[in-house]
Amino acid sequence: MASVAEDAGVTPGVAIALPPVIRLPVATTVGASCVSSGFPRTPEGAAAQLAAMEERVLSVMSLPLATEVHRGWAMPGGVGAADWSQTRNVQSFLTHARQSSNRLDPGTLVSVTPAAIQIKGTDGPDWVVACVLLDVRAALKAEARMGYGTCERMQWNGDRWLIGPGAPPAPAPSTWPGSDASVDAGWQPVASH
């Protein structure tokens, strides 16, 4: 994975030239825990499925939901729900935003939008290391914004992409979407639908 400055996810620096935009496939159904699903058996489909899982978990910021999504979308043999990066991220957000329970307080708003993807590797049509750069915005008493990069081993299982077994891949570089650091780190922007 590319190395970036520690503050690259919270430092705007609009890039003069961006890589070509990629259109992520559109969901055709809704799966377990109300996660969008039905993405094609392609690397881009794996990235879209990962983005849908993370969008669902991080926009709700609920530890019970993170556990439920992991249970419905991860294959046996990987990290458990308590050690999943998204469960840890929700826990960290709730702690640092001084929320009063294991889910968002009323009046706290979080929006999550996929901003870019990277396909770090494939092994045939059924296995992909997909990375998603998310544009995360939170409004507590003041709005906060950051770019957050994340990767998972995605494996095709029957008719959908799941988080595959094994050790998690190296962390993705977190950069401000559309910044020089984002371009240098290899992020490919995605088009909004």
Side-chain angles (χ1 to χ4, degrees):
M1 291 290 172
S3 294
V4 298
E6 195 170 308
D7 66 348
V10 294
T11 305
V14 178
I16 293 171
L18 294 173
V21 171
I22 186 166
R23 286 211 180 275
L24 288 180
V26 176
T28 60
T29 189
V30 175
S33 305
C34 295
V35 173
S36 296
S37 186
F39 299 103
R41 192 176 177 182
T42 63
E44 293 79 12
Q49 186 62 73
L50 177 59
M53 286 184 269
E54 293 176 346
E55 201 171 348
R56 174 78 174 125
V57 169
L58 296 177
S59 64
V60 175
M61 289 289 179
S62 158
L63 287 169
L65 179 65
T67 300
E68 180 183 311
V69 168
H70 185 273
R71 187 174 34 251
W73 290 94
M75 300 175 77
V79 298
D83 293 321
W84 182 37
S85 61
Q86 298 316 318
T87 305
R88 297 273 186 191
N89 289 329
V90 170
Q91 184 180 36
S92 177
F93 177 87
L94 294 172
T95 299
H96 289 92
R98 301 185 180 278
Q99 302 296 288
S100 60
S101 72
N102 64 357
R103 61 190 75 225
L104 280 181
D105 288 346
T108 302
L109 304 173
V110 177
S111 73
V112 179
T113 306
I117 66 164
Q118 291 185 29
I119 303 301
K120 292 309 252 181
T122 62
D123 188 7
D126 296 336
W127 192 88
V128 174
V129 173
C131 302
V132 179
L133 178 64
L134 300 167
D135 185 346
V136 180
R137 297 175 188 222
L140 294 104
K141 292 181 180 172
E143 182 177 331
R145 182 177 178 189
M146 66 180 278
Y148 169 66
T150 180
C151 299
E152 291 289 352
R153 300 161 54 109
M154 301 297 289
Q155 188 167 328
W156 187 259
N157 185 355
D159 64 348
R160 65 185 180 141
W161 288 103
L162 298 174
I163 297 171
S174 292
T175 61
W176 191 271
S179 66
D180 282 327
S182 177
V183 173
D184 293 345
W187 289 110
Q188 185 172 4
V190 296
S192 27
H193 296 285

